[in-house]
Amino acid sequence: MGRLTDKRIWITGASGGLGERLAYLCAAEGAHVFLSARREDRLQEVKKTIIGRGGRCDVFPFDVSNIEEAEDVRRLIGPVDVLINNAGFGIFETAADSSLEDMKAMFEVNVYGLIACTKACLPVMLHANSGHIINIASQAGKLATPKSSLYSATKHAVLGYSNALRMELAGTGISVTTVNPGPIQTDFFTIADKEGGYVKSVGRWMLDADSVAERITAAVLTNKREINLPRWMNAGTKLYQLFPSFVEKLAGRVLKKK
């Protein structure tokens, strides 16, 4: 028995990284977790671990870029108390070198898929007058940096959507939380940073995935507006919002470490 006992939590992008760790923690708190991702074999491994620990878990393989399937998957899952939109990826390239195919793929997963899953859950949550939507965004959604123009654009979109949604749902009993982490030690960078230069540059400052997952799990079913990690990076984004030209000149070299 735990704080989340009998709560039904749908986690996308749960086959590894942050999503996998969230699945373990939420299940340990008593939640019935429903996991989605493209890799069914990995989802089954996560499920096996959760069941082995006495938790409850079901898997629904699903590529969130196939937005027409979101509603069908939600119907198979049934009512959802908490949706954690974690699925996402990035590719670090200059604006000149990035491809339109990469742009399309990132927006389909990071933005359209997130919106589709949210819309699939909203009617049930509105009927129950309760629920929690947690969108995994990024500090990149607040402070764009070189070689992340497309990725930052998707996360700016997630923040804009989430902020508007939060205001629309005021008074309904449904909370909206955005999570804005800096770089996390996960497989994210096997795609985003294929040459490994960014990881080498900022590796010492990378966030521990388990610690981030703990912060998010603690915020489930609360009215937490945002989770910003790490604090020093969030302070930098706030400074940038106030003095963008100053920060770009002062921290130009640091921001180009990709």
Side-chain angles (χ1 to χ4, degrees), residues 194-254:
K194 293 180 181 179
E195 296 180 358
Y198 181 65
V199 172
K200 289 181 181 179
S201 298
V202 303
R204 73 183 76 175
W205 296 301
M206 279 190 171
L207 294 163
D208 175 68
D210 290 311
S211 297
V212 177
E214 288 171 3
R215 287 286 301 275
I216 297 170
T217 304
V220 171
L221 294 178
T222 72
N223 292 320
K224 187 77 173 177
R225 185 181 186 280
E226 287 187 343
I227 298 174
N228 294 289
L229 300 167
R231 291 182 178 179
W232 65 266
M233 186 173 288
N234 186 54
T237 61
K238 288 183 177 180
L239 182 64
Y240 177 76
Q241 290 163 0
L242 293 172
F243 309 104
S245 297
F246 172 75
V247 172
E248 287 174 2
K249 290 179 179 179
L250 182 67
R253 291 183 179 179
V254 175

Side-chain angles (χ1 to χ4, degrees), residues 17-167:
L18 182 61
E20 178 183 355
R21 289 161 173 82
L22 285 168
Y24 295 144
L25 291 175
C26 289
E29 286 285 348
H32 186 167
V33 294
F34 301 87
L35 311 181
S36 291
R38 293 178 301 172
R39 296 181 294 172
E40 183 174 4
D41 57 337
R42 280 292 301 133
L43 289 176
Q44 292 294 349
E45 290 177 16
V46 176
K47 176 181 177 179
K48 183 178 180 180
T49 299
I50 291 173
I51 299 298
R53 296 174 180 176
R56 289 177 294 170
C57 176
D58 286 292
V59 302
F60 293 85
F62 165 53
D63 183 344
V64 299
S65 66
N66 297 324
I67 59 175
E68 295 82 4
E69 296 181 13
E71 175 60 25
D72 294 335
V73 173
R74 206 286 304 158
R75 287 176 180 169
L76 290 171
I77 291 172
V80 173
D81 296 303
V82 180
L83 168 65
I84 303 180
N85 280 309
N86 173 70
F89 77 101
I91 298 174
F92 293 159
E93 291 281 1
T94 64
D97 292 334
S98 59
S99 69
L100 294 180
E101 289 78 10
D102 288 342
M103 174 202 69
K104 184 173 182 290
M106 273 189 275
F107 270 90
E108 286 178 339
V109 173
N110 298 1
V111 183
Y112 305 155
L114 177 147
I115 293 172
C117 290
T118 300
K119 284 181 64 64
C121 291
L122 274 176
V124 176
M125 291 183 175
L126 286 168
H127 181 74
N129 203 41
S130 67
H132 194 178
I133 298 166
I134 301 176
N135 292 332
I136 309 301
S138 171
Q139 287 292 327
K142 295 187 173 187
L143 173 56
T145 58
K147 295 184 72 175
S148 67
S149 56
L150 296 179
Y151 179 70
S152 292
T154 66
K155 294 306 182 178
H156 273 78
V158 169
L159 288 174
Y161 176 76
S162 302
N163 291 339
L165 181 65
R166 186 183 299 109
M167 290 187 282

